[in-house]
Amino acid sequence: MNIFSYKLAATIKRSNPQETSSIEIMQYALNIILNTLLIIITSLIIGWATGSLTDTAVSLFSFAVLRSFSGGLHLKTATACNIFSITLCTSIPHLSFLIKDHLWIYNAFSLFLMLLFAPNPDANVQISQRSYPLMKLIAVLLVATNFFIHSSVLGLAFLAQSLTVIPLERRK
């Protein structure tokens, strides 16, 4: 993906050298976009092939929306992130039956984690700390909606995302 995004960035730069960013900046941005598209397209194809397209889409969307407000830990490489994200979002629809009878417990645990640790944004993201209370409120409200919706797919997606906001290193 890195080689492809470099070639694409170089092509863009050649076609408009004065009005484009550096190749490195465009390559970085293209890597993010292409990796995201890879996760979405691959997950939806797998969801379609396994007969769970709608639930896979719900899993992808709910995980991503909650993540945008709660933050969370990142894997070390884009490849690891791609594999993990695709596996997670395509597995949730097939595993959600496991929590159906105790959904409120999983929702409560996810809500507790969001109250305790969200937001936990990536260090590279420039987010004002003044935004943290609003981000926490939105993350908590998103998770709380599942007490009314009662979706085991949402519950499992929210649980998975909630686990990523737990800081792995001790707070100082």
Side-chain angles (χ1 to χ4, degrees):
M1 194 68 70
N2 205 26
I3 294 169
F4 178 68
S5 58
Y6 176 82
K7 288 181 179 182
L8 187 55
T11 301
I12 294 169
K13 186 69 172 173
R14 276 193 306 275
S15 61
N16 192 354
Q18 286 80 22
E19 296 181 24
T20 54
S21 298
S22 69
I23 291 176
E24 292 79 16
I25 290 173
M26 287 190 290
Q27 179 184 9
Y28 178 77
L30 286 167
N31 264 332
I32 293 170
I33 293 166
L34 293 172
N35 279 308
T36 302
L37 283 173
L38 176 69
I39 292 167
I40 292 169
I41 292 168
T42 304
S43 295
L44 292 176
I45 289 170
I46 293 170
W48 172 76
T50 61
S52 61
L53 179 62
T54 302
D55 284 345
T56 301
V58 167
S59 175
L60 273 166
F61 182 74
S62 59
F63 187 88
V65 170
L66 183 57
R67 187 170 186 81
S68 68
F69 293 105
S70 65
L73 300 173
H74 288 270
L75 297 174
K76 297 212 185 281
T77 67
T79 302
C81 178
N82 292 346
I83 292 168
F84 180 79
S85 297
I86 291 166
T87 303
L88 178 72
C89 290
T90 57
S91 298
I92 285 174
H94 303 287
L95 298 175
S96 61
F97 74 93
L98 294 171
I99 70 164
K100 199 170 203 107
D101 293 335
H102 304 289
L103 181 59
W104 69 272
I105 295 171
Y106 292 93
N107 287 339
F109 184 63
S110 297
L111 189 64
F112 174 74
L113 292 175
M114 287 297 159
L115 283 167
L116 202 58
F117 299 117
N120 184 8
D122 183 77
N124 296 324
V125 177
Q126 301 296 321
I127 298 174
S128 166
Q129 289 207 347
R130 290 189 321 238
S131 301
Y132 283 20
L134 180 60
M135 292 171 69
K136 179 186 288 283
L137 175 64
I138 293 170
V140 165
L141 288 174
L142 283 169
V143 173
T145 61
N146 203 36
F147 284 105
F148 303 101
I149 297 170
H150 301 288
S151 166
S152 54
V153 171
L154 274 180
L156 208 47
F158 287 165
L159 175 64
Q161 173 50 32
S162 297
L163 293 172
T164 72
V165 298
I166 300 170
L168 290 180
E169 40 194 60
R170 291 192 117 206
R171 291 187 174 192
K172 296 175 185 175

